[in-house]
Each structure stands twice: as structure tokens, then as C-alpha cells.
Amino acid sequence: MSKNNNIIIFDTTLRDGEQSPGCSLNLEEKLRMARQLVRLKVDVIEAGFPEASPGDFRAVQEIAKQIKGPIICGLARANKKNIKHCDEALAPAKKKRIHTFISSSDIHLKYQLKKTRAQVLKQAITAVSYARSLCSDVEFSAMDASRSDPKYLLELYQAVIDAGALTINIPDTVGYSLSNEFYKLVYFLNENLKKTDKVSISVHCHNDLGLAVANSLASIQAGATQVECTVNGIGERAGNCSLEEVVMGIYVRKDLFPYQTKIDKKQIYRSSRLLSALTGIDVQPNKPIVGENAFAHEAGIHQDGVLKNKTTYEIIRPQVVGVPSNKLVLGKHSGRHALQDRLRKLGYQLGHEELRVVFSSFKRLSDVKKKVFDDDLIALVDSHITHDQRYVLDSIQVVSGNFAVPAATISLAFDGSIKKESAVGDGPVDAAFQAIKKLTGFKGRLTHFSVRSITGGTDAQGGVFVAIEKDGKVMRATSSHTDIIVASAEAFITAINKFEHYHFKDKPEQIKGC
Ligand code: KIV
Ligand code: ZN
């Protein structure tokens, strides 16, 4: 059991989560997510794998520089070059951690590393000792631990503890373990390792059999005091342990878990939404805690019970995790202060200029949409706070219909004047995108386009997500509007603006040795 019954929440959304298909984020997006993780009050942010690319190095370095509060952690393979590089990226952090890893299962040793157990043991000791010479906080992971020989694991973990590792992470790398098995492994290690109370046992579970959260919870009962997890459970293949689910599991089942986390539960929904907006990947409606249907009672018998007493069918009040009430919150006559106040309650602290931009979008929205809900406001903020808008949509007009040739005329304000272009396309959205391409000279391609309804009704806002690609670089953007063609055009323009911003002003430096 932990000294103060606190379970450490180690967030790896920006490392294990971000490396999964479709989830990659650029620097600015990583910083926005990291700021949200601070509001969520995670204990550790694993900011990336500096050796993976110059972009990853830069992201870890910027997060280390700009993000205050949590420990900033970087991942490194168990070799000197990786560890040194990781330490350099983490240098600006007030509180930093080097997380080094090497595989421990015979399958990995034989087919991947082509090393003996003795060689891996020696390499792990050398790596941890070196990391400790650079940084006082070192974590060690035995990759594929759940498929490794427990006796060898005990020897390996004992050796790295003796070499100075302060966190011993036990990964179920391929999501293979069942909960009772994983419990036994964690219990066995926790009972038999000779360690001081400065050493934490951590678990890192993947979700290939849908057991990542269950295995993490079982591990806490077996003595683990740190859980590695990601927002929305994103991660390699079927994902990682979901932060919101494991945190709420501990909270709701206090009877079985006499522990607490430092997580600000009211920030859970917002964290989930922000990540979806940044990656363009919506959570499935039935996802526990943050899915659209997570608190919806459809069956008559359930509705009847909930109306009589919420506890009949509700184990979590939606407000606890910050799900906005779908009550009318603002309307046409609401002023800037009311908007600012509501946004503050939703956890957004906007600067003067940001508030000005969001307020004018809100005014436009409340003109066409009588009821503006919290979800509408979240979408507005998420889609309107961007950097350096070189191109701004001035007007858009489209023609479409079953007999018409889809066409769009767009005017954009940029470089001190307003320019207009028309184009035809396969549909009105395509026509609008063609006109925007003509105006901006953007030569890349659209790789992803999706539309979803933000709130219900025919006057609902459509939330549009686009991803565009040029020269192997991808930019994503979202926008929302009651007219989905306008939202599409705005999202496309924002993505092009981001391209210009990052291409011209934010080129990552080449990192020596990469
Ligand atoms: O899944 C895994 O084993 C990992 C390690 C690097 C901790 O992500
Ligand atoms: Zn992993």
C-alpha cells in the first residue's frame, strides 16, 4: 500500500497514445493537451520518446519548458545514447523523469533482441545506473513483462532497483494477461522485491482483450501504486488503460479501493473532448464515463427508476466528471461577461484576444441557433482558438442539388485585401475546397473529412474535422457552424493556416545524432 494511499496517475496520452494510428499531434496540439493534463491534475506526463524523431525531441523539450506542475517524463531505450538524448530533452523541466525500458520475455529476447537473459540483465543495470547519474527520478519497464518468466522478472527488477530505479513498471505490452493472472504477477513481485518505500510499483496495461482497466484495478489491489493510462484509452492497437475509467473505478468503488487519486474529476469530460477535437477521433457512444450515451437512460424501466431516485440506475452523477448539463445556458442576449463566466465554469481561461474571437463566433451562432448549450461552447472554443490566421473566410456561396453542377464562390481576406475565386467539384464541400485551394495555392491533399452533430435538432451545429497532408506533414483542424458547408470551409482554411504557421515559423531544428 502506498504511504499516503495515493495512486499516482501517469498519463501517457502524449507518448503511447500519440504513437497510435491517426492520433499523432503537432507541437502546438501537444502543448494544448499537456496544459489540459495539468488542469486534470495528473501526477506524471509522459511527453514523448525523444529518440523517435526530431519532432518528438522538440515536443518533449517544449513541454518540459512550458508545462509546470506534473513530473515530465521521457521514454528512452536502455542504451546510453537514448538516455542521454532523453535527458537533454527533459533538461528544462522542474521535475523530470527518465523512463527506460528493455524487453524481458523469451519471445522478445529470441526473435527481436537476439540476446540472452544475462545480456539483458546487464544492459538494464548499466542503463538504469547511467540514467540515475543524470536524473534522480528513474523508471524502468520490462517490456512484455506479463509473458516473461516471473523468476527472471524478479531478478531483473531487483537488479534495477539496486541500481537506483525508483519506479518499477510492469507492462502487459500485448494485452494478453487475464486479471487474476496479472494480479498474481504484481502481488508476487511486490511481495518479493527488496525495496524501500521510495520505490513504486507501476502497471501499464494494453487493451487487446478489453481488460486494460480491469487489470490495472486488479494490480492496485495487488500492491501497485502507479497506473499508466491515456485519455479516452487511446494507444497502440486496441489502446491503453483508459484514464477516466480507472480513476472512476477507484472513486466509485471506494469500498474496495481505500485509495484516492489527485485527478480533478470535473476536468475528465473536457480532457476527453479536447483530445477528440485534436485527433479528430470521436469516442464511441457507449464508451464508459465519456461516451455520449454513458449517462443516457433509454429503457422505460430505467427512466422510471431514475426519475424516482437517481441511485436506482446511476452509479456516477454526470456532473462529477464535468459532463455539461444540456440545459439552455446562453442565448442571443447574453453578453461577453456571461460567456466568459460560463467558459470559466467549463474550465476555459481565455485571454483577451481569444475571448474576442470566441465572442464574435458565439454572437453569430446565437443569431441562428436559439439555444446555445455547453457542448456548443466547447466546440466553439476548440475550433476557434488557433494561431496566426493568415487566411480568414470572408464569404462563401455554394450551389448544389440533384441536377446542378456543384459550385462554390469563396472570398478570403489575406495579405491586406479580399480575394475571390470560384470552382466546381464533386459536391458543394469539394467545390468549396477547390476554390480555397485556388486562393491559397495549397497543393496538398485532404486525407480525412468527417462531420458530426454537436447537439440535437435541425438547428444543431455541425462539427467538422479535416486532416490535410503535404510533403508527409499532416495538419488537422476542426470547426463548427450551423451550416456544415461553412464549417467545412472554415476547418479546411484553419488547417491550411496551421500549415503556413508550422511550415514557415516552427520548423523543428535537426537534432544531432538522430
Ligand atoms: O507497452 C509497453 O510495454 C510500453 C513500454 C515502453 C512501457 O509502452
Ligand atoms: Zn505501451
Side-chain angles (χ1 to χ4, degrees), residues 15-16 204 206 240:
R15 198 279 295 169
D16 217 347
H204 175 109
H206 279 268
N240 285 59

Side-chain angles (χ1 to χ4, degrees), residues 16 62 80 128 174 184 194 211 239 269 415 440 442 500:
D16 217 347
E62 278 306 313
K80 217 168 167 172
V128 169
V174 291
K184 276 193 213 150
K194 291 182 198 66
L211 292 171
Y269 182 79
D415 299 345
T440 58
F442 178 72
E500 301 239 340

Side-chain angles (χ1 to χ4, degrees), residues 15-16 75 99 101 141 143 169 171 173 204 206:
R15 198 279 295 169
D16 217 347
L75 184 69
H99 176 190
F101 73 99
S141 287
M143 198 174 201
N169 186 37
T173 302
H204 175 109
H206 279 268

Side-chain angles (χ1 to χ4, degrees), residues 375-404:
D375 268 340
D376 289 315
L377 294 181
I378 290 172
L380 269 190
V381 177
D382 284 344
S383 63
H384 284 87
I385 297 179
T386 47
H387 291 259
D388 280 11
Q389 294 275 24
R390 179 176 175 205
Y391 304 105
V392 177
L393 181 65
D394 177 60
S395 72
I396 172 167
Q397 219 174 349
V398 293
V399 177
S400 76
N402 53 349
F403 294 113

